[in-house]
Amino acid sequence: MKKHLISVGTGFLVLTLAYIISGFILNDNDDELKLVTESAKLVSVIKVKNSLNPIELSVDGRLKSKNRIKLYSEVQGLINFNQNKFSEGNSFKSNELILSINSDEFRSSVKQARSEFQNLIASVLPDIKIDFNDNFENWESFFKNFDINKSISKLPNIKSDKEKYYIIGKGIQSAYYRVKSLDERLKKFNIYAPFDGSLINLNVSEGTMVSPGMLLASYISENDFELSVNIPSKYVQYISINERISININGTEYTGKIKRINKNIDELSQTVGVHIGFKNQNLKDGMYLKAKIPLNLESQGFSISRSNLINDEFVFVAENDNSVGVRNVKAIYYDDDSVIVSGLEDNTKLISTYIPGIYKGMKIKISD
């Protein structure tokens, strides 16, 4: 019987000690959990200070040479070798020869036509001296200065209707324009640079046989560029022609101006095209650029991170009792990383820290 009582007493004592020890352990765990919870609710805040905020539209696009043309052959022949100048990337000054096409055969035909025209003038000079003596000196001077190796010059002015009928009847006028046409065609065997620029996208090389209508290459300007972008139509009224635009490339700033604004609105995107001109030889055709277009519009509000705006209509703030509060706001303008909002009073403490599961009334501690 005594052994039984001793066993019961011992068991009771063990249970009592186990209860007391488990209580200490649970209290310690509660303290640890409390510390962890308090650490998770530590937040940073930003004090609101409303002001006038300049608004800039962020845009991007590909830079294109303003002057861009395709070079086509209008005649047939072999491209002459010209010290390999007709190569992609080569630069030319305005009116400098880009390439020439062999014109020996055609040039001979032109000289023949000029010679025949010269013979025609020679055959009518005696009649002109007799019938139109007052204009003979002009025709004689035209004949003496005629050179079959040079382009034909302008015909002498006709002084009377009778002289006009005579010149037309002898076929001089039609022969003149036939030679003039050949002279113009002969010029097409040489292609000159229309402006300062360089060659890109070559389709042929020196020594290639070309034919009329064949695409030879593309030619672009090297220091005159345009950046074409689209902006929402609601902002068009706030930009203007000649507005200065700055871009930054690897730490270097380049300045351009708005040159043109489209008069139509794209039906699908409801945007308007804006064309910004840049002049700098360090820029390159095809560059991808980001720019900001300043709007002639300022709005009273406060700029915050887009991550702090919830559902585009409210933010979390720290109340005076160190709890989470909610404020409704109105988004005025979105930028890449920020948004300008109105509806917050000055000195409101905006919570800038991300808190999983945050809710109104949650207890928080503001970090120093």
Side-chain angles (χ1 to χ4, degrees), residues 343-357:
L344 294 174
E345 295 181 357
D346 286 347
N347 297 319
T348 299
K349 297 176 182 178
L350 176 73
I351 297 176
S352 59
T353 304
Y354 171 71
I355 305 176

Side-chain angles (χ1 to χ4, degrees), residues 263-277:
K263 303 302 181 183
N264 66 304
I265 298 176
D266 185 273
E267 294 181 0
L268 296 178
S269 63
Q270 288 298 293
T271 58
V272 174
V274 177
H275 310 278
I276 308 168

